[in-house]
Amino acid sequence: MSYNSKHLISIVGPTAIGKTSLSINLAKYFNTEILSADSRQFYKEMQIGTAAPTPFEISQAKHHFIHHKSIEETYNVGAFEKDAIATLDKLFKKHNVIIMVGGSGLYVDAVTKGLDYFPEVDKNVRERLNLELKENGLESLQVQLKSLDIESYNTIAIDNPQRVIRALEICIGSGKPYSSFLNKDKNKRHFKTITIGLTAGRETIYNRINKRVDIMMAHGQLEEAKSLVEQQDLNALNTVGYKELFNYFKGEWTLDFAIEEMKKNSRRFAKRQITWFKRDKKTLWFDYNTRLETIIEAISLEFKKDKTE
């Protein structure tokens, strides 16, 4: 296969839909490497609860940005964009095609489109919001965001206090919706992106999520979360699959209730992922059962389009 330019094949979709499997099969087909854009899988202490690729899966294709950080380290989307672009620059010297996979929409967009510019905001705004979070809880901040910027409320990780506070501080500090600063002038990329989306009916997605939670628990998620109890206040651990079990360890919830909450919160997360990824009208969507050959044919057509442009 001949190429007119360098291509990044970005695989997106809701959690538990089969992105990892597809990324490995495509990496094998194109004899190339994989970048993870899943912000939860960066941390080496969080292996079971993030459904990270298994050692066998990692042995099938070279992976980057899997378990390369500790939960003790500060790592954000800006740092990831810088690291990922530097890695792509190196990889494109030996490969014409690179695969990227992940369900963290903001991190995917950081690589494919570049980060958005936001105005400087008085640090006192964030301090006030952090205080309000401590005193009144996350729900009060969610209500504020819903009134100030319904678009952001419907698309960001609304259960993540850091994301909610970030959006709110921009709304309050600038007097404009956080979403109004999105998708403006971005850094140009020296590669072309082909985005492949995997999807299924809602019931199928939810059943796959429920099954995955059961599998994670069977594989030792309870023990993994227990080993991290003393670090539960770290931002990396304020995520589905861990925070619910921390409530169980505190004696606030039964284990069965915690597991049901894990499933419910994972389903909510999947719904937000779908909302986020559906915004990109250029994404090529496929049912999760689609044959690999069919997806490869669609990618090949995109390569041919690029040649004629």
Side-chain angles (χ1 to χ4, degrees), residues 130-145:
N130 278 319
L131 183 62
E132 184 168 346
L133 173 66
K134 191 173 182 179
E135 293 180 346
N136 302 321
L138 179 58
E139 189 175 348
S140 69
L141 298 181
Q142 293 171 337
V143 170
Q144 285 185 60
L145 183 61

Side-chain angles (χ1 to χ4, degrees), residues 84-293:
I85 294 302
T87 299
L88 284 173
D89 287 344
K90 291 179 183 177
L91 293 179
F92 276 129
K93 289 177 181 177
K94 54 181 179 176
H95 300 287
N96 288 313
V97 176
I98 307 295
I99 311 298
M100 184 171 72
V101 59
S104 302
L106 185 62
Y107 285 72
V108 171
D109 285 359
V111 175
T112 60
K113 303 171 184 174
L115 288 173
D116 296 286
Y117 161 78
F118 295 101
E120 288 290 326
V121 174
D122 188 328
K123 65 179 183 180
N124 290 329
V125 175
R126 171 164 287 219
E127 289 173 1
R128 289 201 306 272
L129 290 170
N130 278 319
L131 183 62
E132 184 168 346
L133 173 66
K134 191 173 182 179
E135 293 180 346
N136 302 321
L138 179 58
E139 189 175 348
S140 69
L141 298 181
Q142 293 171 337
V143 170
Q144 285 185 60
L145 183 61
K146 189 173 185 178
S147 68
L148 291 174
D149 187 358
I150 188 65
E151 184 177 340
S152 291
Y153 177 84
N154 286 329
T155 55
I156 70 167
I158 202 70
D159 293 329
N160 185 322
Q162 190 178 39
R163 297 277 173 84
V164 174
I165 287 174
R166 177 57 177 158
L168 265 180
E169 72 173 344
I170 296 298
C171 292
I172 295 168
S174 70
K176 298 178 181 178
Y178 173 83
S179 57
S180 71
F181 294 97
L182 301 178
N183 304 314
K184 301 298 183 184
D185 294 334
K186 303 287 185 71
N187 296 320
K188 298 297 182 185
R189 297 301 187 220
H190 300 296
F191 54 82
K192 295 190 176 182
T193 300
I194 298 170
T195 302
I196 303 295
L198 291 182
T199 189
R202 186 172 69 173
E203 187 175 347
T204 298
I205 293 171
Y206 287 2
N207 286 338
R208 288 176 67 87
I209 287 170
N210 293 341
K211 184 178 178 181
R212 173 180 276 182
V213 171
D214 289 336
I215 291 170
M216 289 192 302
M217 291 301 295
H219 287 179
Q221 173 58 4
L222 186 65
E223 291 74 18
E224 181 173 89
K226 193 171 186 178
S227 73
L228 299 170
V229 165
E230 291 185 3
Q231 297 157 296
Q232 64 184 279
D233 291 332
L234 294 175
N235 186 62
L237 289 169
N238 184 36
T239 187
V240 178
Y242 294 89
K243 61 184 182 180
E244 297 87 356
L245 292 176
F246 293 148
N247 283 339
Y248 161 64
F249 295 133
K250 292 174 189 174
E252 296 176 1
W253 292 351
T254 65
L255 181 56
D256 285 345
F257 184 77
I259 292 170
E260 287 307 310
E261 286 296 296
M262 286 168 64
K263 292 176 179 178
K264 183 178 76 176
N265 290 332
S266 295
R267 295 192 298 265
R268 285 178 174 172
F269 177 54
K271 188 176 179 181
R272 289 195 302 273
Q273 287 176 304
I274 293 167
T275 299
W276 181 288
F277 292 127
K278 286 288 186 181
R279 297 181 312 160
D280 188 345
K281 301 306 178 186
K282 294 182 179 179
T283 298
L284 305 176
W285 288 97
F286 296 90
D287 183 84
Y288 78 109
N289 272 328
T290 301
R291 292 168 60 248
L292 177 65
E293 293 77 10

